[in-house]
Amino acid sequence: MQLRLISCFLISTICLSLKSHADTFNVALLKSGLPPYIFTQQERKSGIYVDILKEIEKITGDKFILRYYPIKRSIKAFSAGNIDIEPGINPAWRKEWQSESLYSAPFMMYTDIVAFRRNEYFKVSNVQDLVGKKIATVKGYYYPGFQEGLNSKKMTRYNLTHEFQLLQFLSLKQRGADAGFINKNVLLYYMKTKNVKFDMGDVIGNVPIMFRFHKNKAKALPRFNKALKHLIENGKINEIVKSYNE
């Protein structure tokens, strides 16, 4: 009991210290959504990123104002200093804007896998395993290690507008796709909520994601990282992710 009281006291002390520097941030969210990470404004659901921000808000006292933009407009707004935070980003995805960007500590992994119709799995360990195959992907997405093959005539790439459309396309065998590239959490979410069934194959991409901060908000990073560390260590982030997928 004494140890629990000491632990609660320390956590309360940390929270009070962090809240003394609380600020307000404009956060960019993808207007078209990316369930379960981001939902559209009309769906009135929070999503993984917003749920994490709500937990951080409890610890630091910071206020997060959600702004919904198409991706290109979001990047321009960030560059102009009208957006302070972009969630779920790996620095490799924003190389062009390196000079204006700072990054939080990683808070989870973004894992892309190969999806198959039920009982049509085959091993995919490298690009050679896909020679002659037809692959469904989301238009504009980049897949390191597989991009050269997708751009060549060694395989056929079907570009879909968004992830659920990809799954709808893949589910119809007559469309001709042998497999699809999709984020693991996205696939699990749709399998749970849309009653669709697919087999999950090999991992084709696995990168840490972070919150991208505008350099003007550099002073906020230390307390933000302290809050993230606490949420990782107490299992809260893992709990949030599981709430959408299990």
Side-chain angles (χ1 to χ4, degrees):
M1 177 64 74
Q2 187 176 6
L3 287 175
R4 182 181 293 178
L5 288 173
I6 292 172
S7 176
C8 291
F9 173 76
L10 290 174
I11 291 171
S12 298
T13 302
I14 292 170
C15 289
L16 287 172
S17 175
L18 293 177
K19 285 181 178 180
S20 66
H21 301 286
D23 198 354
T24 299
F25 301 88
N26 288 313
V27 180
L29 296 177
L30 192 62
K31 187 176 182 179
S32 58
L34 180 62
Y37 296 99
I38 303 168
F39 290 89
T40 65
Q41 195 168 11
Q42 291 74 26
E43 287 176 289
R44 299 186 180 278
K45 296 179 182 179
S46 51
I48 291 172
Y49 298 152
V50 173
D51 284 348
I52 292 173
L53 289 173
K54 286 179 180 178
E55 293 299 323
I56 291 173
E57 194 173 67
K58 294 176 186 177
I59 298 170
T60 66
D62 290 311
K63 183 178 180 181
F64 301 103
I65 300 173
L66 307 180
R67 308 290 190 187
Y68 293 82
Y69 292 110
I71 184 62
K72 290 183 179 179
R73 187 179 168 196
S74 171
I75 290 173
K76 286 182 179 179
F78 189 100
S79 296
N82 297 323
I83 288 296
D84 305 306
I85 297 175
E86 186 183 15
I89 301 296
N90 183 279
W93 304 343
R94 297 289 184 269
K95 286 182 180 179
E96 186 177 340
W97 301 276
Q98 184 176 351
S99 63
E100 66 202 35
S101 305
L102 298 171
Y103 291 90
S104 75
F107 62 91
M108 64 184 294
M109 300 299 291
Y110 195 90
T111 305
D112 286 328
I113 63 169
V114 188
F116 302 91
R117 288 183 294 275
R118 297 303 295 268
N119 303 314
E120 295 187 21
Y121 164 86
F122 56 86
K123 181 72 176 174
V124 179
S125 56
N126 57 59
V127 71
Q128 294 302 317
D129 293 326
L130 295 175
V131 171
K133 301 294 186 181
K134 298 174 182 178
I135 310 300
T137 69
V138 175
K139 184 179 179 180
Y141 282 17
Y142 183 85
Y143 303 94
F146 293 87
Q147 198 63 33
E148 185 177 347
L150 290 170
N151 292 340
S152 71
K153 293 183 179 180
K154 294 180 180 179
M155 62 187 73
T156 301
R157 178 176 183 171
Y158 295 122
N159 286 313
L160 287 310
T161 304
H162 52 76
E163 281 78 1
F164 190 60
Q165 187 184 60
L166 183 156
L167 293 177
Q168 289 176 311
F169 184 91
L170 179 61
S171 67
L172 300 174
K173 190 167 185 175
Q174 62 267 34
R175 292 295 183 93
D178 297 297
F181 288 176
I182 192 168
N183 177 267
K184 182 179 179 180
N185 284 323
V186 173
L187 177 59
L188 288 172
Y189 172 76
Y190 281 128
M191 287 175 65
K192 174 183 176 180
T193 61
K194 299 294 186 180
N195 195 31
V196 292
K197 303 296 182 183
F198 294 89
D199 286 340
M200 291 191 294
D202 299 284
V203 172
I204 58 166
N206 195 35
V207 298
I209 52 175
M210 310 153 197
F211 288 91
R212 182 167 79 118
F213 275 72
H214 195 280
K215 64 181 180 181
N216 293 341
K217 295 294 186 179
K219 289 183 179 179
L221 266 179
R223 71 173 181 274
F224 199 90
N225 283 334
K226 284 182 181 179
L228 274 178
K229 184 174 185 289
H230 173 67
L231 294 174
I232 292 169
E233 290 179 348
N234 72 5
K236 187 62 181 180
I237 291 179
N238 190 47
E239 179 184 321
I240 289 170
V241 174
K242 284 185 176 182
S243 72
Y244 288 96
N245 295 340
E246 295 185 356

